[in-house]
Amino acid sequence: MRQKSNGFNTPTLNIISIKLPSLSVNESMARAAVAAFCAQADPLSTEIADIKCAVSEAVTNCIVHGYRNTVGIIYITVRLCEGGIIRIDIRDKGCGIEDVKQARQPLYTTDAENERSGMGFTVMESFCDKVRVSSKCGKGTTVTLFKRLQRK
């Protein structure tokens, strides 16, 4: 399996896809499953912690903002790539983001009444090497997280 669709133009060595209902109880399942899959790349414990935190933020965004008060499906694809690169795509088919640039600004939130901090994308960016966000109103959002593992 040598695909070059991981964003760093390096071949994909292994891949997993997961579908979960957008229930808050599944946020921990998503982070654990992604971490377990990434463990085969022998990451540092701090790298696993970074990945788990970024995945938690992206999945929580699907639950809270993407599907709002409904239940939909969260699609997660994880690719282990040559060069110690991990690519994680987290996608929903929810309401979408009207202005991605604005949504990525620290402290911006569409859910202020529930005391959301508006720091989700900022947190993802601080724990990953690259974060891509694509969205269409009424169609959903895809967040792609890239993490390059240190070599031991």
Side-chain angles (χ1 to χ4, degrees), residues 6 8 10 34 38 41 43-52 54-55 78-88 123-131 144-151:
N6 59 44
F8 279 94
T10 60
V34 170
C38 291
L44 300 172
S45 61
T46 54
E47 293 169 328
I48 284 290
D50 290 352
I51 290 166
K52 289 168 75 173
V55 167
V78 185
R79 292 173 178 85
L80 299 181
C81 307
E82 282 187 359
I85 296 166
I86 296 176
R87 174 184 171 152
I88 306 163
V123 169
M124 288 179 240
E125 289 167 350
S126 70
F127 288 116
C128 295
D129 294 301
K130 185 161 60 167
V131 177
T144 304
L145 310 169
F146 296 92
K147 181 78 172 173
R148 184 183 303 270
L149 303 178
Q150 296 178 19
R151 292 314 205 195

Side-chain angles (χ1 to χ4, degrees), residues 33-35 38 43-44 51 54 57 62 66 74 87 96-97 100 102 110 125 143:
V34 170
C38 291
L44 300 172
I51 290 166
E57 292 295 332
C62 293
I74 300 170
R87 174 184 171 152
I97 301 170
V100 171
Q102 181 181 34
T110 59
E125 289 167 350
V143 173

Side-chain angles (χ1 to χ4, degrees), residues 20-32:
L20 297 168
S22 63
L23 303 171
S24 61
V25 296
N26 285 333
E27 178 270 330
S28 61
M29 171 54 123
R31 64 186 270 147

